[in-house]
Amino acid sequence: MELPLGLIEQSLNSRYSLWVREALNDLSDNFTITDPCIAGHPIVFVSPGFLKMTGYTKEEVIGKNGKMFQGPETSRSSVMLIREAVREEKEIQINLLNYRKDGTPFWVFFQMTPVFSKEDGQIIHFVGVQVPILKNSRKSRCGFVRIQGDSHENEFRACKSFLGSCRRELMSDSISELDCTLNRDSQPDSNSRGVEIEEPCEACDDEKQRAAIAISNILFVLTHHSEVTGGLVCERRCSLPRVGILCSSLNTSLNRIKQSFVLTDPNLPDMPIVYASDEFLKLTGYTRCEVLGRNCRFLSGIDTDSSTLFKIKESLQSEQACTVRILNYRKNKSSFWNDLHVSPVHNASGKLAYFVGVQMDADDKKQDEHGLNPKTKQLSTVGAVKVAVRSLSMTVGCSQG
Amino acid sequence: MLRIKRVPTVVSNYQEDETENVSRSTGCGRNCLNKCCIEGAKIPLYAFKKLNKISGSKGLCCEYENSVPPVAFLDSLLLGEWEDRMQRGLFRYDVTACETKVIPGKYGFIAQLNEGRHLKKRPTEFRVDKVLQPFDGNKFNFTKVGQEEVLFRFEANENGNTQFIPNDAIDLENSPSVVAINVSPIEYGHVLLIPRILDCLPQRIDRESFLLALHMATEAGNTYFRLGYNSLGAFATINHLHFQAYYLGVPFPIEKAPTKKIMTLKDGVIISELLKYPVRGLVFEGGNTLQSLSNSVSDACICLQENNIPYNILIADCGQRIFLLPQCYAEKQALGEVSAELLDTQVNPAVWEISGHMVLKRKKDYEEASEENAWRLLAVVSLSEERFQEVCALIFEVIDTVDAENTEGSSSMPEEHDDGCLKEVEARNNTTRPLPMTGTKECLV
Ligand SMILES: [Zn+2]
């Protein structure tokens, strides 16, 4: 899928001054900057040194996912650890086998660091530095991998959210995260997990140091150029957590579900909407800012049957799923019959975390391209939401309440 | 004869009650999958396109990752049908109400407290010293499950693309491969894939069935939807060929463990050894075709079962990596070599536990769950280093032979590989179309 280049450019432009590219180009290190909030987690900046190392042109790299440099001999468990770091928004250092454009493999020491918004602690970018490991430094048969914090999931997949002010994220500085961050500069412990493949390769201290210096140089440039726009960035989450907002990993997962649905939080007063899908906004005509934080009752109107509303209320109280046909109203006051399904969603502790409401325009009930009936599709959204919420609340970072 | 006592898992609502509940005028009254009721039944068919290629980062799921799909189609179908069964109250408990957590530590073991899974069931004796046992039609098997427990059929579309037929009538000539719910789920979306259900195959791997399972992993295209297999003697409860699968959105510790390459087969399949993990095992990946990857794993499995070595399989990473783990826990248990402390937890180390997802029955164990405890349990499951090397040698002997043979033929014509050198294997396991197992084929000891 081709990504619109505008989106890629916007990724840097919306955060940093217009001179940031120039300043980054002046750095001699091999690195990329990626945006996990754009679908596919594309590369939005690539350094000249990186292009030279890999043999690609800028045009071939921008907009692609970093996995384009991996090949058949790249260790899948290493890839898994990188994914996990992305999903967990954590730093990672790892020895990795990459491939040049001509297909030749080479070992690098890969260090990747997340960049957060200082204001709200939301993930902005990842900076990934790659230091080639010289052949003569391949001394041991053991590489190392260090990942910070607890394990969690990641996918390089979708995340189509907006960096606008209405997208609110969880800034959880849990103790474990804090610890990890504080330990960031310490040396990797020697008994950390080894990666042995055919010609395994361990970075020497010199290479690790080069990576660390590169990261700090890049972060210096980014921080400096974000001061100008006022949208300060930092390498550590520094905002306080706010109540009633989803962590970005959950947001990212929910964004993959292409159906009209909202999540409401029953643990907050008046059960406000804490997530609304793009399709929901399309269906109702509201913007995200207009619906987040509000109770769903604004969808009802003068002709909405009160007994139907009562039925929904009852099922919410008893924490049961229910399906109703209800008359709803769009922003422009036009009405539509909504085949609504509401279901409780539990977090990893087994406790009620949200209600998911999946809307279906009763007049727009065509089967999907595969022939899946609308009812099954609606329930699949419920299932996907349940899996995402449960999985993403399993580690400390994303748990609610 | 070695036996252990354990509480069997109830995978179907038709497993426990033998009381006939007549609600239909035709058939046995249970609307089951057997000949009595299957005639004229309509079950949705998901017909997948046979894949020729899946390799490395060019694999199917990675294509998806780059193109950022909405939830993939098989995913939607499975999740939607599963949720439907949940709303219909077919499960014994709501698994999303079970507490679960990632155990703090380096490896990220996952613990779940599941107090409902083993309730209302008396311990039963299981014979654990025979990996291959004939199918017994008198015992519970999947032909006895109700049609409402079946989500859809999952079969290859011999000529064409992926296709979905919502109301497809069952063709009795061809035994359908079905995906059914596990009514005692250990995570959301827990299902059973039962290859050619009416053929009543016993729990044993054959090439064709394993390829089917691998296809399911690639079709789902979701890193967090994995398939697993337990052989008899390695905590399979039902001797009717089946794989399991469910969703869990965190990496399993086994998937993050480093590996060491042992060899590359001629058709590109890479076999590695699992490192720094409590259970010793092999990892299969790569391969010029999905079929060659599938064949090398199934040949290894066939070798293990022929040699009466219990094992578990995990199909991970959208079918790109397959973990093969021979184990000896049940044998140790039967011989009284497992500590009372471990036995008290009643944890059955099947494929999920071995992969790092521990389902615990007691609140105490859940609260005290630690990396050390998980490690200690899994260490007992593992073969000793010495035995593991012996077992590997057995496997490599077979795989080498098979591979050498394969390279002489065309690698895209799998059926041809089954004659000739595979006599021994084929005699026991006709890979093209196994007959229903009725005989008493003794396994090698
Ligand atoms: Zn029947």
Side-chain angles (χ1 to χ4, degrees), chain A residues 14 48 78 108 146 193 199:
Chain A
S14 65
S78 303
V108 294
R146 188 175 61 129
R193 329 185 51 200
E199 237 191 296

Short mmCIF file of all heavy atoms in Angstrom, two decimals, chain A residues 14 48 78 108 146 193 199:
data_model
loop_
_atom_site.label_atom_id
_atom_site.label_comp_id
_atom_site.label_asym_id
_atom_site.label_seq_id
_atom_site.Cartn_x
_atom_site.Cartn_y
_atom_site.Cartn_z
N SER A 14 4.91 18.49 11.77
CA SER A 14 3.98 18.92 12.80
C SER A 14 4.64 19.02 14.17
O SER A 14 4.08 19.59 15.08
CB SER A 14 2.80 17.95 12.86
OG SER A 14 3.26 16.69 13.28
N PRO A 48 21.69 10.09 5.57
CA PRO A 48 22.54 9.77 4.40
C PRO A 48 23.45 8.59 4.69
O PRO A 48 23.66 7.73 3.84
CB PRO A 48 23.35 11.05 4.19
CG PRO A 48 22.57 12.14 4.87
CD PRO A 48 21.84 11.50 6.01
N SER A 78 14.66 -12.21 17.40
CA SER A 78 15.08 -10.81 17.52
C SER A 78 13.99 -9.89 17.00
O SER A 78 13.70 -8.85 17.59
CB SER A 78 16.36 -10.57 16.72
OG SER A 78 17.37 -11.42 17.15
N VAL A 108 24.53 -5.55 12.40
CA VAL A 108 24.56 -4.23 13.00
C VAL A 108 24.22 -4.35 14.49
O VAL A 108 23.58 -5.30 14.92
CB VAL A 108 23.53 -3.26 12.37
CG1 VAL A 108 23.89 -2.95 10.94
CG2 VAL A 108 22.11 -3.79 12.49
N ARG A 146 19.02 -6.91 24.91
CA ARG A 146 18.48 -6.37 26.15
C ARG A 146 17.21 -5.61 25.80
O ARG A 146 17.20 -4.77 24.93
CB ARG A 146 19.48 -5.45 26.80
CG ARG A 146 19.00 -5.04 28.20
CD ARG A 146 20.05 -4.22 28.90
NE ARG A 146 20.30 -3.01 28.15
CZ ARG A 146 20.29 -1.81 28.72
NH1 ARG A 146 20.07 -1.67 29.99
NH2 ARG A 146 20.55 -0.74 28.01
N ARG A 193 20.12 -12.37 27.47
CA ARG A 193 19.85 -13.49 26.61
C ARG A 193 20.70 -13.47 25.34
O ARG A 193 20.86 -12.46 24.71
CB ARG A 193 18.38 -13.44 26.25
CG ARG A 193 17.63 -12.83 27.41
CD ARG A 193 16.19 -12.86 27.14
NE ARG A 193 15.85 -14.21 26.77
CZ ARG A 193 14.75 -14.49 26.12
NH1 ARG A 193 13.96 -13.54 25.75
NH2 ARG A 193 14.48 -15.73 25.83
N GLU A 199 26.64 -17.11 12.01
CA GLU A 199 27.86 -16.39 12.34
C GLU A 199 27.50 -15.28 13.30
O GLU A 199 27.41 -14.12 12.93
CB GLU A 199 28.51 -15.83 11.08
CG GLU A 199 29.92 -16.32 10.89
CD GLU A 199 30.60 -15.53 9.81
OE1 GLU A 199 30.16 -15.60 8.67
OE2 GLU A 199 31.57 -14.83 10.14
#
